[in-house]
Amino acid sequence: MFRPSRAAPVPAEGGADRDDGSAIRTPPTRVVALVTIAATVVTVVLGAVTETAVLLIGLLVFLPAFASALCTPRQTTLVSAWVSIVVIVPVALSTEQLADRVTLALFALGFGALAVYGSWLRITREGTLVRLRSTAAAMQRQILRPLPLLTDDVLVDGVYEPVQQDKLVGGDIYDVAATPWGTRVLIGDVQGKGLPAIGMAIDVVGAFREAAHREPTVTALVDSLEAAVVRHNGYAEQRGEPERFVTAVVLGVDTGAETQLVTCGHIPPYLLHDGTVTAVGDGTEHAPLGLADLVDEPRTVSWFPFPAGATLLLCTDGLTEARSPAGTFYPLETRLAGHVDITAGRLTHALVDDVHAFTEGPQQDDLAVLAVRRSPHRMRSPSVGKVSAAG
């Protein structure tokens, strides 16, 4: 049975006061009121002491402009109204410097109206951006399920970081499916970047979710992914876009002592068990998805022991091809040796933090790191048998 974890909450963008349902951060009204009154008192007192009241009160005209950059339209309206009253009242009470006072009052009314409009325009644009980001977050939860993911066979935890921080989904993909034949795990990397790569990623993940429950063998599942990439490339060619391939690793984990692996031009997994780190399936890589027609050999399954309590690390080249300022590649296997005895979630986060420190600069590529932890209570004796090597 598949038991997904709680969906990761979308980070709140909002504050206490807002004019609509969008989560936009604004200061509380009481803070705005206190600051406005304090600025007025200071200005009036200084004006009385220095006998330059008209000049200093004129500085309050610009207060609504500051409010429009931070506050809601309602709060900006209150500030503008207050400033207008403070400026206009002296006009009604005194005829001294009347022309200056009238001019100042007109400026206060005009600047106040512009400030309210500017605040409304800002809130409208920020609300649109927040809604777009919320929509993107919802799409991400549909394309890439929030981690960790739990099935009867494994716990899958990890980190996903697209290189473009304004995009929540990149060209790296992963998914987990609990099927009648055990748990299937996918990790992959679409060639290229940008929206076309994301479109390919969506197609491959969709094909995996459908075929994982339909195909009884891992090789048939991989063939379905190959067909999805070929179809996508056919549509891309019609639009004049370049064809793309996808590197991928597909795992099949059931109650047997051994696990099935098909590697399609991707980084092989690493097995962490009993204080050791071992690359599994190394030397049995097949052509990336979308390039099967270029080779004669069909894709086959590799079997490897996956003991109870062991962890498999799967990653994309955003981890292995990260470079230090000196141009050295990140030594994944060496760094893994120092993290063999920690939990799956801590393992992936420790590696990501380590690679960020190693590169000492901005992220260079999409990054996906998964830790697949074997469930110890679901295994059966190796003598029970397994499905044929073809699947």
Side-chain angles (χ1 to χ4, degrees):
M1 184 179 70
F2 180 68
R3 299 188 296 274
S5 67
R6 288 196 309 271
V10 179
E13 303 280 349
D17 269 305
R18 48 188 179 269
D19 285 356
D20 55 21
S22 302
I24 300 173
R25 191 176 300 279
T26 56
T29 299
R30 62 181 179 274
V31 173
V32 176
L34 289 174
V35 171
T36 302
I37 294 173
T40 304
V41 170
V42 170
T43 302
V44 171
V45 171
L46 287 177
V49 171
T50 61
E51 298 181 354
T52 57
V54 174
L55 179 61
L56 289 180
I57 289 177
L59 296 178
L60 291 176
V61 171
F62 299 99
L63 191 58
F66 290 102
S68 69
L70 302 173
C71 303
T72 66
R74 180 173 60 84
Q75 293 172 335
T76 306
T77 300
L78 293 175
V79 174
S80 299
W82 173 263
V83 170
S84 297
I85 292 172
V86 171
V87 172
I88 292 173
V89 166
V91 176
L93 299 179
S94 175
T95 58
E96 296 181 3
Q97 298 177 304
L98 184 61
D100 292 340
R101 294 175 183 268
V102 170
T103 302
L104 186 59
L106 293 176
F107 270 107
L109 293 172
F111 283 179
L114 287 175
V116 173
Y117 175 73
S119 176
W120 173 84
L121 192 62
R122 176 182 62 82
I123 289 292
T124 300
R125 290 178 176 175
E126 289 184 4
T128 300
L129 291 175
V130 168
R131 287 189 292 272
L132 287 174
R133 186 168 180 83
S134 298
T135 301
M139 290 179 62
Q140 182 194 34
R141 288 194 292 270
Q142 297 302 315
I143 300 170
L144 301 176
R145 297 187 178 101
L147 296 166
L149 296 168
L150 177 66
T151 73
D152 288 336
D153 304 296
V154 295
L155 168 67
V156 181
D157 206 344
V159 178
Y160 182 87
E161 291 185 354
V163 65
Q164 295 174 295
Q165 296 300 321
D166 59 331
K167 293 181 174 64
L168 298 179
V169 179
D172 289 359
I173 55 175
Y174 68 83
D175 203 12
V176 180
T179 75
W181 306 281
T183 299
R184 272 80 184 272
V185 181
L186 165 72
I187 188 169
D189 186 358
V190 179
Q191 177 197 17
K193 295 180 176 63
L195 291 177
I198 295 175
M200 174 70 85
I202 293 173
D203 279 358
V204 174
V205 171
F208 174 83
R209 290 175 180 171
E210 192 275 332
H213 296 272
R214 184 191 67 229
E215 302 296 347
T217 65
V218 175
T219 49
L221 168 59
V222 174
D223 289 342
S224 296
L225 300 183
E226 171 75 22
V229 173
V230 171
R231 282 195 303 271
H232 183 96
N233 281 332
Y235 296 134
E237 185 179 6
Q238 295 174 10
R239 298 190 298 267
E241 297 176 358
E243 296 184 354
R244 299 174 184 273
F245 62 82
V246 181
T247 66
V249 165
V250 179
L251 294 174
V253 185
D254 56 21
T255 56
E258 291 190 320
T259 291
Q260 302 173 71
L261 166 69
V262 178
T263 305
C264 302
H266 199 80
I267 304 160
Y270 287 89
L271 179 69
L272 285 69
H273 184 59
D274 286 342
T276 63
V277 178
T278 307
V280 296
D282 195 13
T284 60
E285 295 89 351
H286 300 285
L289 299 173
L291 302 180
D293 289 343
L294 301 181
V295 296
D296 297 328
E297 299 81 7
R299 295 187 177 101
T300 57
V301 166
S302 300
W303 293 85
F304 66 92
F306 190 9
T311 299
L312 275 174
L313 184 94
L314 293 79
C315 65
T316 58
D317 58 12
L319 185 66
T320 58
E321 295 184 2
R323 292 175 181 261
S324 69
T328 305
F329 286 111
Y330 181 70
L332 175 58
E333 191 166 348
T334 302
R335 299 301 178 101
L336 276 175
H339 299 90
V340 293
D341 297 322
I342 61 178
T343 63
R346 288 180 56 203
L347 169 64
T348 55
H349 284 85
L351 285 176
V352 171
D353 291 342
D354 188 46
V355 76
H356 289 330
F358 179 81
T359 57
E360 299 181 12
Q363 189 172 323
Q364 301 156 355
D365 197 0
D366 295 332
L367 178 63
V369 185
L370 300 182
V372 183
R373 183 81 171 181
R374 165 75 94 162
S375 176
H377 63 278
R378 287 279 295 173
M379 295 186 62
R380 65 168 184 258
S381 169
S383 61
V384 174
K386 61 191 178 188
V387 297
S388 66

